[in-house]
Amino acid sequence: AAAEAAAAEAAAAEAAAAKAATVAKEEVDLATAEGKQLFLDTLAAGGLESYFALSQQASTQTDERMAPLNTLSMVLNALNHDPGVSWKGPWRWNSEESMLCGSARCGHTAELLDRGVSLGDMAALARCKGVRAVMQRARKGGEGLLRERLAEVCGDQDGTSHMVVSA
């Protein structure tokens, strides 16, 4: 019975993610009645599990070059990742500035910001922070795989998975 329930939840999450992906092509504004209904339908289908942890961490980058680092810090904070150092006073928090470790493995701050932070750089920086990061490049005909993975992440009940997509 538990396996059937898990399979039903996974199917519902996949259907919700597929519906959301289809609607996204039409660019439905979340603040509209249609957007709100889409949100509620996806929530009811179990496809918004990762949304809430991420939405609590929403912030704006201080510099446009820092956008990928801001995204990474939001994801790490949504995962309740302890950076191991104080941010301000006693608080331990991931910030866009703290994402730059400066090691030769990850690249030096000035170099990364001058050339732009790639998705590969983000994955390397996440690994430097002790987080499991998997980078998957798009492949021809890979939309099905993307939708499958998106459904898995969005339906993740325990909140241990998030996905960053870069164009």
Side-chain angles (χ1 to χ4, degrees):
E4 290 174 344
E9 286 179 6
E14 184 175 336
K19 180 177 179 181
T22 300
V23 174
K25 290 179 183 176
E26 300 168 12
E27 298 182 17
V28 174
D29 186 336
L30 186 61
T32 65
E34 184 181 358
K36 291 173 185 176
Q37 189 60 53
L38 174 62
F39 183 93
L40 292 173
D41 291 347
T42 307
L43 177 64
L48 288 177
E49 294 303 316
S50 61
Y51 170 79
F52 297 101
L54 283 170
S55 67
Q56 294 178 85
Q57 308 305 327
S59 62
T60 304
Q61 72 271 5
T62 57
D63 177 322
E64 65 187 34
R65 299 174 308 161
M66 300 288 265
L69 304 177
N70 185 52
T71 299
L72 182 57
S73 68
M74 286 176 53
V75 170
L76 293 180
N77 288 326
L79 291 167
N80 293 315
H81 176 267
D82 182 350
V85 295
S86 292
W87 170 58
K88 292 182 181 179
W91 294 289
R92 290 158 70 105
W93 193 253
N94 295 287
S95 66
E96 56 194 27
E97 295 84 10
S98 72
M99 294 298 101
L100 295 167
C101 67
S103 76
R105 179 172 65 150
C106 294
H108 298 286
T109 304
E111 292 170 10
L112 278 176
L113 293 178
D114 287 345
R115 71 173 165 77
V117 181
S118 70
L119 192 58
D121 294 330
M122 287 178 70
L125 290 167
R127 289 183 199 110
C128 279
K129 301 296 179 190
V131 175
R132 180 178 172 267
V134 177
M135 191 179 90
Q136 176 70 53
R137 296 223 180 259
R139 295 188 304 252
K140 186 175 180 178
E143 182 179 343
L145 178 61
L146 174 62
R147 287 177 184 262
E148 180 182 311
R149 188 68 186 114
L150 182 61
E152 290 172 14
V153 170
C154 291
D156 178 20
Q157 297 280 327
D158 63 6
T160 60
S161 298
H162 292 286
M163 179 185 284
V164 175
V165 178
S166 176

